[in-house]
Amino acid sequence: GLGDVYKRQVMNMSEHHSSSVTSNIRVARIVYYAVWLLVALGAALSEAEVLPTGYLAVTAEGLYAIQMVCVALLLVVPWLSLKWFHFTFVRKALMANPVSRGRWNLYRILLMGGFLFFNLGMYYALLSTTTPLFGLLIGLMAYVFCMPKRSE
């Protein structure tokens, strides 16, 4: 009867929703692992001196400014990334469109990825301070907890 048709439609919508969420999460996981790979590759190529290193000459004031930017980003970006799904605007967006979980995971991954690449680049561009290296290492530890999941 009509009730059976309605049940089948609801089940089909549920299956479609579930497969959309799964494929979005799969894409986010691919990007997550790609960031790991690119950071490791960038570090390995810089250590092997395939990529240029120590090319950024700065004054003492410039070095201090870069160090402060690295520390400020370290205080903000990992915290934002780890608390990402607890923010009201993200929760409201997910309640309105649960299929968008993969996209919100991507935003978090890109935020952390930008932070990691910035610190990696600054460390190898300067080679006169370890502040960006410590930021990179702490960021990588936080990034472990940014693995995309179906639910947070």
Side-chain angles (χ1 to χ4, degrees):
L2 190 56
D4 292 334
V5 171
Y6 176 73
K7 285 178 188 176
R8 279 195 303 272
Q9 286 177 341
V10 168
M11 293 196 52
N12 284 339
M13 287 174 49
S14 175
E15 288 172 10
H16 175 71
H17 166 77
S18 178
S19 68
S20 294
V21 169
T22 302
S23 67
N24 289 342
I25 296 298
R26 189 174 299 125
V27 169
R29 283 189 181 159
I30 290 168
V31 174
Y32 174 82
Y33 288 120
V35 169
W36 273 111
L37 180 68
L38 291 173
V39 168
L41 188 63
L45 290 176
S46 294
E47 285 295 325
E49 296 183 3
V50 173
L51 293 177
T53 59
Y55 55 86
L56 190 60
V58 294
T59 63
E61 294 83 10
L63 182 61
Y64 178 76
I66 290 171
Q67 288 175 327
M68 288 302 104
V69 167
C70 288
V71 169
L73 288 173
L74 176 61
L75 292 173
V76 174
V77 175
W79 180 82
L80 280 174
S81 297
L82 294 174
K83 299 294 276 179
W84 189 253
F85 288 101
H86 296 283
F87 291 121
T88 305
F89 71 96
V90 175
R91 284 188 177 271
K92 284 183 180 177
L94 286 173
M95 287 175 65
N97 183 13
V99 177
S100 67
R101 178 168 295 283
R103 186 177 65 222
W104 287 102
N105 270 294
L106 275 176
Y107 294 153
R108 177 168 76 165
I109 290 167
L110 294 175
L111 179 68
M112 274 300 288
F115 170 73
L116 296 172
F117 291 129
F118 174 78
N119 278 294
L120 180 71
M122 284 295 102
Y123 175 67
Y124 285 109
L126 295 171
L127 286 181
S128 60
T129 181
T130 55
T131 302
L133 178 63
F134 292 135
L136 175 66
L137 294 175
I138 293 168
L140 286 171
M141 284 187 278
Y143 190 61
V144 168
F145 299 103
C146 292
M147 166 70 103
K149 296 180 281 195
R150 287 178 55 90
S151 62
E152 294 296 325

